[in-house]
Amino acid sequence: MIFILLTATVLLMDLGIKFTIENADPSLFPRTIEKTKGLIMLHRNHNEGFPFGALKEKKELVKQLPLAVVSAVAGIFAWLFPRKGYIVEKAGLALIIGGGLSNLYDRMKRGYVVDYFSIRWKGLKKVVFNLGDICVFLGAAILLAAELARTIKEES
């Protein structure tokens, strides 16, 4: 049950932040988030494509491919969910689904994904993210680490 709660928490938090950003005065963006010493900037960006605006002219593909991916990940999660163990994998999948559903909602409802923060550090300065993006990335990293750990354990 905790994994469903994790998915719902990520989804609702990201959608809530996006709602707040979308309803704020556009002249307030971009701006630095207080107490981050300029490290984190708040934005109000609309991304109609994949990351970095890729394929934004292919609107149907930009909707259908994430739908297929989120559906596949949810299917894997549903298959794994009743099995004992696999806690790390379930957590990774829950993060991916929560973040993926939030961005999928944006694509289907708004026609673009709302991105709202950037990290002002080295190559990340020009990249604007949202919580869903971070959770998808983190979930994928967790799954990769779990698989690498399993492979190392099996080989030794």
Side-chain angles (χ1 to χ4, degrees), residues 103-118:
N103 286 339
L104 184 60
Y105 174 87
D106 275 3
R107 291 183 196 289
M108 298 299 191
K109 183 77 171 168
R110 295 184 171 110
Y112 55 83
V113 173
V114 179
D115 292 322
Y116 50 81
F117 77 92
S118 64

Side-chain angles (χ1 to χ4, degrees), residues 32-33 35-41 118-120:
T32 302
I33 295 179
K35 299 183 182 180
T36 67
K37 298 180 183 176
L39 182 65
I40 301 175
M41 295 285 293
S118 64
I119 301 169
R120 310 299 291 166

Side-chain angles (χ1 to χ4, degrees), residues 34-90:
E34 291 182 37
K35 299 183 182 180
T36 67
K37 298 180 183 176
L39 182 65
I40 301 175
M41 295 285 293
L42 200 57
H43 299 267
R44 182 181 178 186
N45 286 10
H46 297 158
N47 183 356
E48 296 179 4
F50 290 125
F52 309 107
L55 298 175
K56 63 182 174 186
E57 66 283 350
K58 306 275 187 186
K59 297 202 182 298
E60 220 28 57
L61 176 66
V62 170
K63 287 181 180 180
Q64 297 304 317
L65 187 58
L67 175 61
V69 171
V70 170
S71 297
V73 173
I76 294 166
F77 182 75
W79 172 78
L80 195 60
F81 189 73
R83 289 170 169 66
K84 290 190 185 235
Y86 300 100
I87 293 169
V88 173
E89 292 85 350
K90 290 174 186 176

